[in-house]
Amino acid sequence: MPKIVDHATRREEIAEALWRVVRRDGIRAASVRTIAAEAGWSAGAVRYYFPDQDGLLSFAMDLVSRRVTERIGAIEAKGSVPAIVLRYLDEVLPLDAERRAEFDIWLAFMAQAQAETGAGTLHTHVDAVHDGLRELCESLIRALSEAGLLKDDLEVRREVERLHALLDGLALHAAIQPQRTTPTRARQLMRHHVESLLT
């Protein structure tokens, strides 16, 4: 009986090998050869699934976004609105090994996108992820507003921008100085910010 190959799983394994190479050696080291060696496959096997590097980079970036989206989608809307909002925000901060890996990849891809000339492949993905994070911030602020929990003098659009900026800043601090911006500290700061918006 022929062996059944799960092609979706194989593609994810290759993308995860790319993540490991990028985290360890930088995005410039992510060649088909180094990724194949990291995955324990031949270069030909990697090229079978990803004929060009742009396709592999695109898939690896999409995988980061998809996993975050899946975690967010699995959150149960139980408890108070502020508690639910904080659970959503937890999922996009690098608070554990999995989320730190995802954020490291995001930073590497973002830096590479800035180095690209014109609107390259990575620019498209970075913009999409950035827009998705802003949309999440907007949905959370609007949830607080619609529940009648926001202070009367707050303007929703401005608060969306502030929350987005705080998320980006906390994530960067947690990645660069994890001993200072610990998961506990990041959660405390985020909780303090959300509570400062409430009536």
Side-chain angles (χ1 to χ4, degrees):
M1 184 175 180
K3 184 178 180 181
I4 298 173
V5 177
D6 185 337
H7 294 292
T9 299
R10 287 280 178 89
R11 287 167 67 87
E12 290 192 9
E13 287 173 1
I14 294 170
E16 288 169 352
L18 181 146
W19 289 2
R20 293 192 296 274
V21 169
V22 169
R23 292 188 78 201
R24 185 179 63 238
D25 304 319
I27 199 165
R28 292 185 182 278
S31 66
V32 169
R33 182 179 57 80
T34 58
I35 294 164
E38 181 70 27
W41 294 11
S42 68
V46 171
R47 287 194 184 95
Y48 172 80
Y49 288 100
F50 299 101
D52 58 65
Q53 192 176 32
D54 279 353
L56 175 52
L57 290 174
S58 294
F59 183 84
M61 187 66 175
D62 284 342
L63 185 58
V64 172
S65 180
R66 190 166 75 245
R67 289 194 176 169
V68 173
T69 300
E70 287 170 356
R71 285 201 309 271
I72 288 173
I75 292 173
E76 292 187 18
K78 292 182 178 178
S80 68
V81 175
I84 295 166
V85 165
L86 287 169
R87 285 204 297 275
Y88 276 96
L89 294 170
D90 269 2
E91 291 303 334
V92 291
L93 286 170
L95 302 178
D96 59 21
E98 179 182 4
R99 286 172 281 183
R100 280 194 300 274
E102 291 167 353
F103 189 72
D104 287 348
I105 296 302
W106 160 249
L107 277 183
F109 284 1
M110 186 168 59
Q112 183 63 26
Q114 293 305 307
E116 287 181 347
T117 55
T121 302
L122 289 181
H123 263 293
T124 301
H125 291 288
V126 166
D127 285 348
V129 171
H130 198 67
D131 289 346
L133 185 58
R134 181 183 173 81
E135 288 167 9
L136 174 64
C137 291
E138 182 170 4
S139 70
L140 297 178
I141 293 295
R142 291 200 178 280
L144 292 170
S145 177
E146 289 166 7
L149 298 174
L150 281 186
K151 291 177 180 175
D152 291 339
D153 60 341
L154 296 183
E155 197 271 313
V156 167
R157 183 174 297 179
R158 183 179 64 234
E159 295 311 322
V160 169
E161 291 179 3
R162 285 211 309 155
L163 180 57
H164 192 180
L166 179 60
L167 265 179
D168 279 347
L170 276 179
L172 189 60
H173 289 188
I176 293 173
Q177 290 189 310
Q179 72 284 0
R180 177 171 292 177
T181 306
T182 63
T184 297
R185 184 59 178 155
R187 285 189 174 103
Q188 286 172 343
L189 290 168
M190 188 57 73
R191 185 175 65 250
H192 175 75
H193 176 71
V194 170
E195 288 173 352
S196 75
L197 306 178
L198 306 179
T199 55

